[in-house]
Coordinates of all heavy atoms in Angstrom, one line a residue:
M1 N -6.0 6.1 72.2 CA -7.0 5.1 71.8 C -7.6 4.4 73.0 O -6.8 4.0 73.8 CB -6.4 4.1 70.8 CG -6.1 4.7 69.4 SD -5.3 3.6 68.3 CE -6.6 2.5 68.0
P2 N -8.9 4.2 73.0 CA -9.5 3.6 74.2 C -9.3 2.1 74.2 O -10.3 1.4 74.1 CB -10.9 4.0 74.1 CG -11.2 4.2 72.6 CD -9.9 4.6 72.1
I3 N -8.1 1.7 74.4 CA -7.9 0.2 74.5 C -7.6 -0.1 75.9 O -6.7 0.5 76.5 CB -6.8 -0.3 73.6 CG1 -7.2 0.0 72.1 CG2 -6.5 -1.7 73.8 CD1 -6.1 -0.5 71.1
Y4 N -8.4 -1.0 76.5 CA -8.2 -1.3 77.9 C -7.7 -2.7 78.1 O -8.0 -3.6 77.2 CB -9.5 -1.1 78.7 CG -10.0 0.3 78.6 CD1 -11.1 0.7 77.8 CD2 -9.4 1.3 79.5 CE1 -11.5 2.0 77.8 CE2 -9.9 2.6 79.4 CZ -10.9 2.9 78.6 OH -11.4 4.2 78.6
E5 N -7.0 -2.9 79.2 CA -6.5 -4.3 79.5 C -7.5 -4.9 80.5 O -7.9 -4.3 81.4 CB -5.1 -4.2 80.1 CG -4.0 -3.8 79.1 CD -2.7 -3.8 79.7 OE1 -2.1 -4.9 80.0 OE2 -2.1 -2.8 80.0
F6 N -7.8 -6.2 80.2 CA -8.7 -6.9 81.1 C -8.0 -8.2 81.5 O -7.1 -8.7 80.9 CB -10.0 -7.2 80.3 CG -10.8 -6.0 79.9 CD1 -10.6 -5.4 78.7 CD2 -11.7 -5.5 80.8 CE1 -11.3 -4.3 78.3 CE2 -12.4 -4.4 80.4 CZ -12.2 -3.8 79.2
K7 N -8.5 -8.7 82.6 CA -8.1 -10.0 83.1 C -9.3 -10.8 83.5 O -10.2 -10.3 84.3 CB -7.1 -9.8 84.3 CG -6.6 -11.2 84.7 CD -5.5 -11.0 85.8 CE -5.0 -12.3 86.3 NZ -3.9 -12.1 87.3
C8 N -9.3 -12.0 83.1 CA -10.5 -12.9 83.4 C -10.4 -13.3 84.9 O -9.4 -13.8 85.3 CB -10.5 -14.1 82.5 SG -11.9 -15.2 82.8
K9 N -11.5 -13.2 85.6 CA -11.5 -13.6 86.9 C -11.6 -15.2 87.0 O -11.3 -15.7 88.1 CB -12.8 -13.1 87.7 CG -12.7 -11.5 87.8 CD -14.0 -11.1 88.5 CE -14.0 -9.5 88.7 NZ -15.2 -9.1 89.3
K10 N -12.0 -15.8 85.9 CA -12.2 -17.2 86.0 C -11.0 -18.0 85.6 O -10.5 -18.8 86.3 CB -13.4 -17.5 85.0 CG -14.2 -18.8 85.3 CD -15.4 -18.8 84.4 CE -16.2 -20.1 84.6 NZ -17.3 -20.2 83.7
C11 N -10.4 -17.7 84.4 CA -9.3 -18.5 83.9 C -8.0 -17.7 84.0 O -6.9 -18.2 83.7 CB -9.6 -19.0 82.5 SG -9.5 -17.7 81.2
G12 N -8.1 -16.4 84.3 CA -6.9 -15.6 84.4 C -6.3 -15.1 83.1 O -5.2 -14.6 83.0
N13 N -7.1 -15.3 82.0 CA -6.7 -14.8 80.7 C -6.6 -13.3 80.7 O -7.5 -12.6 81.1 CB -7.7 -15.4 79.7 CG -7.3 -14.9 78.3 OD1 -6.1 -14.8 77.9 ND2 -8.3 -14.5 77.5
E14 N -5.5 -12.8 80.2 CA -5.3 -11.4 80.0 C -5.4 -11.0 78.6 O -4.8 -11.6 77.7 CB -4.0 -10.9 80.7 CG -3.9 -11.2 82.2 CD -2.6 -10.6 82.8 OE1 -2.0 -9.7 82.2 OE2 -2.2 -11.1 83.8
F15 N -6.1 -9.9 78.3 CA -6.3 -9.5 76.9 C -6.6 -8.0 76.9 O -7.0 -7.4 77.8 CB -7.4 -10.3 76.2 CG -8.8 -10.2 76.9 CD1 -9.7 -9.3 76.4 CD2 -9.1 -10.9 78.0 CE1 -10.9 -9.1 77.0 CE2 -10.3 -10.7 78.6 CZ -11.3 -9.8 78.1
E16 N -6.4 -7.5 75.7 CA -6.7 -6.1 75.4 C -8.0 -6.0 74.5 O -8.2 -6.8 73.7 CB -5.6 -5.4 74.8 CG -4.3 -5.3 75.7 CD -3.2 -4.6 74.9 OE1 -3.3 -4.4 73.7 OE2 -2.2 -4.3 75.6
K17 N -8.8 -5.0 74.8 CA -10.0 -4.8 74.0 C -10.3 -3.4 73.7 O -10.1 -2.5 74.6 CB -11.2 -5.5 74.7 CG -12.4 -5.6 73.8 CD -13.5 -6.4 74.5 CE -14.8 -6.4 73.7 NZ -14.6 -7.0 72.4
F18 N -10.7 -3.1 72.5 CA -11.0 -1.8 72.1 C -12.4 -1.5 72.6 O -13.4 -2.1 72.2 CB -11.0 -1.7 70.6 CG -11.4 -0.3 70.1 CD1 -10.4 0.7 70.1 CD2 -12.6 -0.1 69.5 CE1 -10.8 2.0 69.6 CE2 -13.0 1.2 69.0 CZ -12.0 2.2 69.1
V19 N -12.5 -0.5 73.5 CA -13.8 -0.2 74.1 C -14.2 1.3 73.8 O -13.4 2.2 74.1 CB -13.8 -0.4 75.6 CG1 -15.1 0.0 76.2 CG2 -13.4 -1.8 76.0
L20 N -15.3 1.5 73.2 CA -15.7 2.8 72.7 C -16.1 3.7 73.9 O -15.7 4.8 74.0 CB -16.8 2.7 71.7 CG -16.3 2.2 70.3 CD1 -17.5 2.0 69.4 CD2 -15.4 3.3 69.6
S21 N -16.9 3.1 74.7 CA -17.4 3.9 75.9 C -17.2 3.1 77.2 O -17.1 1.9 77.2 CB -18.9 4.2 75.7 OG -19.7 3.0 75.8
Y22 N -17.1 3.9 78.2 CA -16.8 3.3 79.5 C -17.9 2.3 79.9 O -17.7 1.4 80.7 CB -16.7 4.4 80.6 CG -16.2 3.9 81.9 CD1 -14.9 3.4 82.1 CD2 -17.1 3.8 83.0 CE1 -14.5 3.0 83.3 CE2 -16.7 3.3 84.2 CZ -15.4 2.9 84.4 OH -15.0 2.4 85.6
S23 N -19.2 2.6 79.5 CA -20.3 1.7 79.9 C -20.2 0.3 79.3 O -20.8 -0.6 79.7 CB -21.6 2.4 79.5 OG -21.7 2.6 78.1
Q24 N -19.4 0.2 78.2 CA -19.2 -1.1 77.6 C -18.3 -2.0 78.3 O -18.2 -3.2 78.1 CB -18.7 -0.9 76.1 CG -19.8 -0.3 75.2 CD -19.3 -0.3 73.8 OE1 -18.1 0.1 73.5 NE2 -20.1 -0.7 72.8
I25 N -17.5 -1.4 79.2 CA -16.5 -2.2 79.9 C -17.1 -3.3 80.7 O -16.6 -4.5 80.7 CB -15.6 -1.3 80.8 CG1 -14.8 -0.4 79.9 CG2 -14.8 -2.1 81.8 CD1 -13.9 0.6 80.7
K26 N -18.2 -3.1 81.3 CA -18.9 -4.1 82.1 C -19.5 -5.2 81.3 O -19.9 -6.2 81.8 CB -19.9 -3.4 83.0 CG -21.1 -2.8 82.3 CD -22.1 -2.3 83.3 CE -23.4 -1.8 82.7 NZ -23.1 -0.6 81.9
D27 N -19.6 -5.0 80.0 CA -20.2 -6.0 79.1 C -19.1 -6.9 78.5 O -19.4 -7.8 77.8 CB -20.9 -5.3 78.0 CG -22.2 -4.6 78.5 OD1 -22.8 -5.1 79.5 OD2 -22.5 -3.6 77.9
V28 N -17.8 -6.5 78.8 CA -16.7 -7.3 78.2 C -16.6 -8.7 78.9 O -16.7 -8.8 80.1 CB -15.4 -6.6 78.4 CG1 -14.2 -7.4 77.9 CG2 -15.5 -5.2 77.6
K29 N -16.6 -9.7 78.1 CA -16.4 -11.0 78.6 C -15.1 -11.6 78.1 O -14.6 -11.2 77.1 CB -17.6 -11.9 78.1 CG -19.0 -11.4 78.6 CD -19.2 -11.9 80.0 CE -20.5 -11.3 80.6 NZ -21.7 -11.5 79.7
C30 N -14.7 -12.6 78.8 CA -13.4 -13.3 78.4 C -13.6 -14.0 77.1 O -14.6 -14.8 76.9 CB -13.0 -14.3 79.5 SG -11.6 -15.3 79.1
P31 N -12.7 -13.8 76.1 CA -12.9 -14.4 74.8 C -12.6 -15.9 74.9 O -12.9 -16.6 73.9 CB -11.8 -13.7 74.0 CG -10.8 -13.1 74.9 CD -11.6 -12.8 76.2
K32 N -12.0 -16.3 75.9 CA -11.6 -17.8 76.0 C -12.8 -18.6 76.6 O -13.3 -19.5 76.1 CB -10.4 -18.0 76.9 CG -9.1 -17.9 76.1 CD -8.0 -18.4 77.0 CE -6.7 -18.5 76.2 NZ -5.5 -18.9 77.1
C33 N -13.2 -18.1 77.8 CA -14.2 -18.9 78.5 C -15.5 -18.2 78.7 O -16.5 -18.8 79.2 CB -13.6 -19.3 79.9 SG -13.5 -18.0 81.1
G34 N -15.6 -16.9 78.3 CA -16.8 -16.2 78.5 C -17.1 -15.8 79.9 O -18.2 -15.4 80.2
G35 N -16.1 -15.8 80.8 CA -16.2 -15.5 82.2 C -16.2 -14.0 82.4 O -15.9 -13.2 81.5
E36 N -16.4 -13.7 83.6 CA -16.4 -12.3 84.1 C -14.9 -11.8 84.1 O -14.0 -12.5 84.5 CB -17.0 -12.2 85.5 CG -17.5 -10.8 85.8 CD -18.2 -10.8 87.1 OE1 -18.8 -11.8 87.5 OE2 -18.1 -9.8 87.8
V37 N -14.8 -10.5 83.7 CA -13.4 -10.0 83.6 C -13.4 -8.7 84.5 O -14.4 -8.1 84.8 CB -13.0 -9.6 82.2 CG1 -13.0 -10.9 81.3 CG2 -13.9 -8.6 81.6
E38 N -12.2 -8.4 84.8 CA -11.9 -7.1 85.6 C -11.0 -6.3 84.8 O -10.0 -6.8 84.1 CB -11.4 -7.4 87.0 CG -10.1 -8.1 87.0 CD -9.6 -8.4 88.4 OE1 -10.3 -8.0 89.3 OE2 -8.5 -8.9 88.5
K39 N -11.2 -5.0 84.8 CA -10.3 -4.1 84.1 C -9.0 -3.8 84.9 O -9.1 -3.6 86.0 CB -11.0 -2.7 83.8 CG -10.2 -1.9 82.8 CD -11.1 -0.7 82.4 CE -11.0 0.5 83.4 NZ -9.6 1.1 83.5
K40 N -7.9 -4.0 84.2 CA -6.7 -3.8 84.9 C -6.4 -2.3 85.0 O -6.6 -1.5 84.1 CB -5.5 -4.4 84.1 CG -5.6 -5.9 84.0 CD -4.5 -6.5 83.2 CE -3.2 -6.3 83.9 NZ -2.1 -7.0 83.1
V41 N -6.1 -1.9 86.2 CA -5.8 -0.5 86.5 C -4.5 -0.1 86.0 O -3.5 -0.7 86.3 CB -5.9 -0.3 88.0 CG1 -5.7 1.2 88.4 CG2 -7.2 -0.7 88.6
S42 N -4.5 1.0 85.2 CA -3.2 1.4 84.6 C -3.0 2.9 84.8 O -2.1 3.3 85.5 CB -3.2 1.1 83.2 OG -4.3 1.6 82.5
A43 N -3.9 3.7 84.3 CA -3.7 5.1 84.2 C -4.2 5.8 85.5 O -3.9 7.0 85.7 CB -4.4 5.7 83.0
C44 N -4.8 5.1 86.4 CA -5.4 5.7 87.5 C -4.5 5.6 88.8 O -5.0 5.9 89.9 CB -6.8 5.0 87.8 SG -7.9 5.3 86.5
A45 N -3.3 5.1 88.6 CA -2.5 5.0 89.8 C -2.0 6.4 90.1 O -1.2 7.0 89.4 CB -1.3 4.1 89.4
V46 N -2.4 6.9 91.3 CA -2.1 8.2 91.7 C -1.0 8.3 92.7 O 0.1 8.8 92.4 CB -3.4 8.9 92.2 CG1 -3.1 10.4 92.6 CG2 -4.5 8.8 91.3
G47 N -1.2 7.6 93.8 CA -0.2 7.7 94.8 C 0.9 6.6 94.6 O 1.0 6.0 93.6
G48 N 1.6 6.4 95.7 CA 2.7 5.4 95.6 C 2.3 4.1 96.2 O 3.0 3.1 96.1
S49 N 1.1 4.1 96.8 CA 0.7 2.8 97.4 C 0.3 1.8 96.3 O -0.5 2.1 95.4 CB -0.5 3.1 98.3 OG -1.5 3.6 97.6
S50 N 0.8 0.6 96.5 CA 0.6 -0.4 95.5 C -0.5 -1.3 96.0 O -0.2 -2.4 96.4 CB 1.8 -1.2 95.1 OG 2.3 -1.7 96.3
G51 N -1.7 -0.9 95.9 CA -2.9 -1.7 96.3 C -3.1 -2.8 95.2 O -3.3 -2.4 94.0
S52 N -3.2 -4.0 95.6 CA -3.3 -5.0 94.6 C -4.8 -5.1 94.0 O -4.9 -5.2 92.8 CB -3.0 -6.4 95.2 OG -3.8 -6.6 96.4
T53 N -5.7 -4.8 94.9 CA -7.1 -4.8 94.4 C -7.7 -3.4 94.5 O -8.2 -3.1 95.6 CB -7.9 -5.8 95.1 OG1 -7.8 -5.6 96.5 CG2 -7.5 -7.3 94.8
A54 N -7.6 -2.7 93.4 CA -8.1 -1.3 93.5 C -9.6 -1.4 92.9 O -9.8 -1.2 91.8 CB -7.3 -0.4 92.6
S55 N -10.5 -1.6 93.8 CA -11.9 -1.7 93.4 C -12.7 -0.5 93.9 O -13.9 -0.5 93.9 CB -12.5 -3.0 93.9 OG -12.4 -3.1 95.3
G56 N -12.0 0.5 94.4 CA -12.7 1.6 94.8 C -13.2 2.5 93.6 O -12.7 2.4 92.6
G57 N -14.2 3.2 93.9 CA -14.8 4.0 92.8 C -14.3 5.4 92.7 O -14.9 6.2 92.2
S58 N -13.1 5.6 93.2 CA -12.5 6.9 93.2 C -11.8 7.3 91.9 O -11.4 8.4 91.7 CB -11.6 7.1 94.4 OG -10.5 6.2 94.2
C59 N -11.7 6.4 91.0 CA -11.0 6.6 89.8 C -12.0 6.7 88.6 O -12.2 5.7 87.9 CB -9.9 5.5 89.6 SG -8.9 5.9 88.2
T60 N -12.6 7.8 88.4 CA -13.5 7.9 87.3 C -13.1 9.1 86.4 O -13.9 9.8 86.0 CB -14.9 8.0 87.8 OG1 -15.0 9.1 88.7 CG2 -15.4 6.8 88.5
A61 N -11.9 9.2 86.1 CA -11.4 10.3 85.3 C -11.4 9.9 83.8 O -10.4 9.6 83.2 CB -10.0 10.7 85.7
F62 N -12.6 9.9 83.3 CA -12.8 9.6 81.9 C -13.5 10.7 81.2 O -14.2 11.5 81.7 CB -13.6 8.3 81.7 CG -12.8 7.1 82.0 CD1 -12.8 6.6 83.3 CD2 -12.1 6.4 81.0 CE1 -12.0 5.4 83.5 CE2 -11.4 5.3 81.2 CZ -11.4 4.8 82.5
G63 N -13.2 10.8 79.9 CA -13.8 11.9 79.1 C -12.9 13.0 78.8 O -13.2 14.0 78.2
Ligands
LIG101 ZN1 -11.6 -16.7 81.0

């Protein structure tokens, strides 16, 4: 099921949201404050390096 974990950049609120398509992820807002959120990286961890901020675009294995 396409449920992704998000974290609010503004208030730090963490929540899960059902997202039908990947393009909807960028439209997700924090339900508490309406702030910008970032998707928590989960399934894309490939190597053993624990990068705290994985904002690279190399993880697009969807579909
Ligand atoms: Zn928030």
